[in-house]
Amino acid sequence: MKSILQTYLEKDIWILIRDKWYYATIIGVWDDLLWFKHRTHNKDTEEDTLWEMVVKISEVVAIDKVVSVVSRKPDVFISRLLETDRHTNHNQGHDNP
């Protein structure tokens, strides 16, 4: 995993750490540590906050280099897939009500 993460230095990718996705810019990879920055959005104040985090590389579960507008939250992702599936089936001329 360390060598893969090093190929994304200064690039934006999705990283799954433990059970949470981060859209992050990789700052550095040393020994067993990953250093990255990511933004969070506060809905109440409408402000973005830039965070820098350091985690153990062993805590990285997955990476995804595909930049997408689809949320990484499973329930949102599934509902978007279902919407896409309904739209696709409707356009293919199926006899759907």
Side-chain angles (χ1 to χ4, degrees):
M1 180 64 78
K2 179 179 176 179
S3 60
I4 293 170
L5 290 167
Q6 287 174 328
T7 64
Y8 292 103
L9 282 176
E10 298 302 320
K11 295 182 183 170
D12 297 327
I13 61 170
W14 284 98
I15 304 173
L16 179 60
I17 298 173
R18 292 179 223 111
D19 61 351
K20 184 174 179 184
W21 283 101
Y22 296 89
Y23 186 64
T25 303
I26 304 296
I27 298 172
V29 182
W30 304 279
D31 299 324
D32 64 340
L33 299 176
L34 169 66
W35 179 22
F36 66 94
K37 58 185 175 182
H38 70 96
R39 264 182 219 287
T40 58
H41 182 71
N42 184 323
K43 293 178 185 177
D44 296 332
T45 63
E46 292 298 318
E47 292 181 2
D48 286 342
T49 303
L50 184 64
W51 299 89
E52 290 188 12
M53 291 180 61
V54 177
V55 298
K56 290 185 177 184
I57 292 174
S58 61
E59 294 181 275
V60 177
V61 176
I63 62 171
D64 187 351
K65 63 183 178 178
V66 176
V67 177
S68 169
V69 295
V70 176
S71 173
R72 291 301 196 263
K73 294 180 181 178
D75 55 336
V76 174
F77 184 68
I78 293 299
S79 68
R80 296 267 173 90
L81 287 175
L82 292 173
E83 287 173 17
T84 303
D85 186 48
R86 277 194 297 266
H87 181 69
T88 302
N89 286 340
H90 182 68
N91 286 343
Q92 290 178 354
H94 291 271
D95 294 329
N96 293 339

